[in-house]
Amino acid sequence: MTASRLLLLSGLLILFALPPQWYPQAARVQLSQWFGAAAFRPLPASVDYASAEAEVFCPPDLSGWRNERVIEGLTLPAVAGCVPDNPWSVATAIRGSNNVSADTLSKSGFTSDAVTKGRDLDGDGDPDEIHIRLEVVELNGASAEQPAPVTEYSLAPGIKPGLWVFAPKLAGMATENFESNLARPNLRLPSPTLRVEQGDRVYITLENTHYMPHTLHLHGADHGFVDSTGEGNDGVPITSEMPVMPGGARRYELTPRSSGTMFYHCHVQPHVHVMMGLQGLFIIEENRPDNWLQTINIGAGSVRHPSVAVRENYQQEYDLHYLDLDRELSAEIQRNNDPRLITRAMHREYDITDASSDYFVLNGRSFPYTFRESLIVTEPGQRTKLRVVNGGAKGIALHTHGHKFTVTHKDGSRVPEAARFPQDVVWLGTSQRADLELSSVNDGVSSYGAGIWPYHDHQYQGVTTDGIGPGGNISAIVYRDYLDDAGWPKTLGTSYTPYFTEEFYRKEIPVWEAYAPGQFSDPGSDWRLVLRIALLALGLGLAVAAVLPRRR
Amino acid sequence: MKPKRLLALFWTLFLAHGSLAQEHDHHAHHNMSVSDSGMVMYENKTTLPRGCDQISEDIELTIHAGAKYAENTPGMTFGMSQHEVRAPGCSRLTITFINEDQVRHQWMVHGLPKYLYSAGMFHLEAMAGRQVTGTFIVPPDDRTYLVHCDMAQHMEKGMKGQLVIGRGSGNLWSVRGVSDAFNRAPYLPDTTWPLAALALLLVAGVVTRLRR
Ligand SMILES: [Cu+2]
Ligand SMILES: [Cu+2]
């Protein structure tokens, strides 16, 4: 075939294949005037989404941990929410791991020296010598062999960023059992809330079970710059002491004279270590007689055994620990196994000044897991104390639906009565704390009545998980009438099904697919256009062949 | 061998008698002794495994653990004084595990028969600066068992070993002094790729010239 014929053929093919919607606007108008509108052709149908397998919303309480329990002479009230703390861990945290039976200790998971309680120094019926031991645990870290992370912990379905936490000292393995990759239930984010009494002689030993240096800094709590032996006690590597090296330990001590909601965190490369999760609430309760405190509140959240002073004014108490996490930072411990490479990646290559936060957690979980553990369950006429810390890099604008709360304390200091007012948003900058009084008296200000009232960070990234909503730190204040027997809220809205799938948070499911299938789904493809483009390519190919010089 | 098959090999060595559903509560165990020094779990001094007529040999071993035992191994944080233990089938091993660190460590054997060791393991845990001693009897077959510390990241950062019974059943990966790291980082100098590209161009140029 001659070149000119080939060119002609290709020209015709191109003209035929060129989709009319690509013609110049003027040409389209002219053609419409001559031939009228093209025939109706339906838009591509929506893609069918097979419904993904959802997790169980509220796992059944097989071991009866939610029931009222009498352990070690302590009556622990029933838990209304879905997933409670291990009651033996709670009882041991109150009595001391040195004071409970072998059976209680074994069920608690603690070692015998995890939280020991000694003499009653002021003779008021409770122990005043408290020794807490903390280890450093990596969750979702690299494996030397398998692709999945080890000591696995999920913030939300399928969300497993690398994390570091201070953990109470637990006997035995880090995983549930040998065949499991999952972290045992007491190993989790956030680092536990620690509770001591004003005037207690408190020792905290940091046992560095991790592969990097760490320290402990008691932010806001009354502690000496040096301890009783003259060693540094502030946890700051530059000014106070050498960091605790892997395999090493250091005992910090304090006898706090003032009470309040404080904070503790690692102070080695804090922009990295604190943001990896090495931070927790540190609460100093007012001194009262017979004040047996729940020294360790694993996973923060509901305080099953509030202090005497708190019980004077409140029916219940919750610890709320807010944190945001950067996916890029978290991933650094999952890429390599060599601590030298991890150290370089985290502390030199990672640049927090260019960072953004992706995960927003309340008590170590994001929605919908927050509904399992961090619902505030109340009933009309109750007063609830909330101790809130924002440990994240971003501020939080904590907002309650259906309620106005009062800030009674800021950073552990009492707010004078005259300065208090009902508010529904409180701003907490990084590391700030607030004690909130939440009243469920239906008076048109404190509460607008019974219901399921969300509470969340009102900054909009905070209610997402890596940009997918609903996620982030959303939880709810739920009145008992709106809670079913299993502890799950009797909500009136959409199904939870999509939110309990990994696919939803992997951005694979259209957000409204569960209740409007197809309507806002992804459209299918226009195969006719695909065919035209294929022909167009053929035509252009022929044209190029016609123009190129022939081989001799 | 393809990576997938390698992994399969690893898992067969690793998870021997695995059954996920069987145990949920690792802490509801029998045969545990706890002291201030630590704990010994699933100890067995007397019951012979199936296929053993008698104890073939009594072996006593002392194994030290701590960050100190990683000092001369680049890229490792924790270690043990020995990462491989060899013993004949049907032997009785008495291990004294000495922890020289100020934190907990463990010495655990996995994949033992569950009719004898209910979780398939033998477990020693020594508290900081303490030692514990425990005894167990191994089955007759030639097999390689995983030994490790199950504290988070301790196996990954150096505390992985193997117990070789008889001729064993091949080496596990990432056992210090025995086998290579399964996921080995590349450790390349920064100039590697530019130099490789340069070499490629050079070779291509020279060969083209020679062929003319
Ligand atoms: Cu640190
Ligand atoms: Cu270890």
Side-chain angles (χ1 to χ4, degrees), chain A residues 136 164 166 206 208 210 212-216 243-244 265-270 272-274 276 278 347:
Chain A
V136 181
W164 294 345
F166 291 115
L206 172 60
N208 189 0
H210 194 237
M212 279 191 190
H214 300 292
T215 62
L216 192 77
V244 187
H265 59 82
C266 173
H267 219 296
V268 176
Q269 298 281 322
V272 170
H273 289 212
V274 185
M276 286 293 289
L278 291 175
H347 299 91

Side-chain angles (χ1 to χ4, degrees), chain B residues 4-16:
Chain B
K4 247 198 175 149
R5 292 197 48 198
L6 275 175
L7 261 190
L9 172 75
F10 162 75
W11 284 117
T12 34
L13 291 179
F14 196 82
L15 289 179

